[in-house]
């Protein structure tokens, strides 16, 4: 059984790397590079056959990492992810069935929203922390800014189309705790297993939190 998080997923770091693992052998060195760069919260998406194995490898091999599962869309995936060692769950969208499964898993979760009605519906269900996805396509910083007035109790991790250049604008919003992104994981660096470069990019991303 993993220990509970000391606080909110949104407060662990300004940026949550969204990781797609193709080769499980990359999971531990990649996670170590991200943690060394100051990004301990790592979302491993369930988009590849080795994703659960990768989560297990990071949970076992990188104690300073807070590994979570992303692209969680079924109750079965909720159960499998937590069993593998995921300490938080992220979904691109939500249903009542999925939210109840995530709530019952005993770990923090960020259900995905892209409309005001979805936010209100989750607030009705006692959920105040959410993923805003796909952030850029769904209205970006202007949309989130417009939600802060009528729905100040909702906090978000915007993900989807966000890069190093626009992350600071999101992080400056009062209802944004962190952002999710992939820019610190360039495909060529991962393919070359250039973990030194990944660590350097992670350090730059982590520094965005110091400008808030």
């Amino acid at each position: 059984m993993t220990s509970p998080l000391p606080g909110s997923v949104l407060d662990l770091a300004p940026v949550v790397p969204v990781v797609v693992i193709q080769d499980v052998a990359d999971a531990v060195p990649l996670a170590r590079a991200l943690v060394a760069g100051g990004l301990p919260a790592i979302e491993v998406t369930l988009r590849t056959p080795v994703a659960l194995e990768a989560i297990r490898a990071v949970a076992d091999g990188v104690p300073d990492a807070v590994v979570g599962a992303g692209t969680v869309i079924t109750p079965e995936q909720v159960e499998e992810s937590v069993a593998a060692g995921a300490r938080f769950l992220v979904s691109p969208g939500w249903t009542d069935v999925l939210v109840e499964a995530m709530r019952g898993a005993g770990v923090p979760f960020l259900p995905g929203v892209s409309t005001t009605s979805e936010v209100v519906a989750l607030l009705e269900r006692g959920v105040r922390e959410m993923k805003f996805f796909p952030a850029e396509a769904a209205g970006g910083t202007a949309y989130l800014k417009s939600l802060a007035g009528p729905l100040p109790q909702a906090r978000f991790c915007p993900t989807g189309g966000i890069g190093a250049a626009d992350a600071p604008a999101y992080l400056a919003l009062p209802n944004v705790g962190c952002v999710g992104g992939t820019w610190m994981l360039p495909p060529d660096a991962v393919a070359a297993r250039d973990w030194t470069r990944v660590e350097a990019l992670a350090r730059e991303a982590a520094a965005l939190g110091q400008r808030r």
Side-chain angles (χ1 to χ4, degrees), residues 15-19 43 45 47 71 90-92 112-114 130-141 144 156-164 166-167 170 176 178-184:
V15 179
V16 176
V18 180
V19 180
E43 176 188 337
T45 67
R47 301 181 193 176
T71 323
V90 185
S91 67
V113 298
S114 60
M130 312 166 195
K131 170 180 176 173
F132 180 59
F133 176 83
E136 285 290 281
T141 55
L144 285 171
F156 301 95
C157 173
T159 305
I162 300 174
D166 43 17
Y170 281 95
V176 170
C178 62
V179 301
T182 61
W183 73 86
M184 72 298 301

Side-chain angles (χ1 to χ4, degrees), residues 66-94:
V66 180
V67 63
T71 323
V72 176
I73 58 174
T74 69
E76 292 76 19
Q77 288 178 328
V78 169
E79 185 177 344
E80 292 168 348
S81 297
V82 174
R87 297 179 65 191
F88 64 93
L89 305 168
V90 185
S91 67
W94 67 274

Side-chain angles (χ1 to χ4, degrees), residues 103-187:
R103 194 195 303 273
V107 299
F109 59 96
L110 299 174
V113 298
S114 60
T115 69
T116 306
S117 294
E118 289 173 319
V119 176
V120 172
L122 282 176
L123 291 174
E124 282 184 350
R125 289 157 175 79
V127 179
R128 297 191 173 196
E129 297 188 344
M130 312 166 195
K131 170 180 176 173
F132 180 59
F133 176 83
E136 285 290 281
T141 55
Y143 195 98
L144 285 171
K145 190 179 298 183
S146 71
L147 293 180
L151 302 170
Q153 64 271 55
R155 294 182 74 216
F156 301 95
C157 173
T159 305
I162 300 174
D166 43 17
Y170 281 95
L171 291 170
L173 298 176
N175 55 352
V176 170
C178 62
V179 301
T182 61
W183 73 86
M184 72 298 301
L185 298 163

Side-chain angles (χ1 to χ4, degrees), residues 73 75 91 93-102 111-112 122 125:
I73 58 174
S91 67
W94 67 274
T95 65
D96 278 323
V97 170
L98 182 59
V99 166
E100 287 311 304
M102 291 193 292
L122 282 176
R125 289 157 175 79

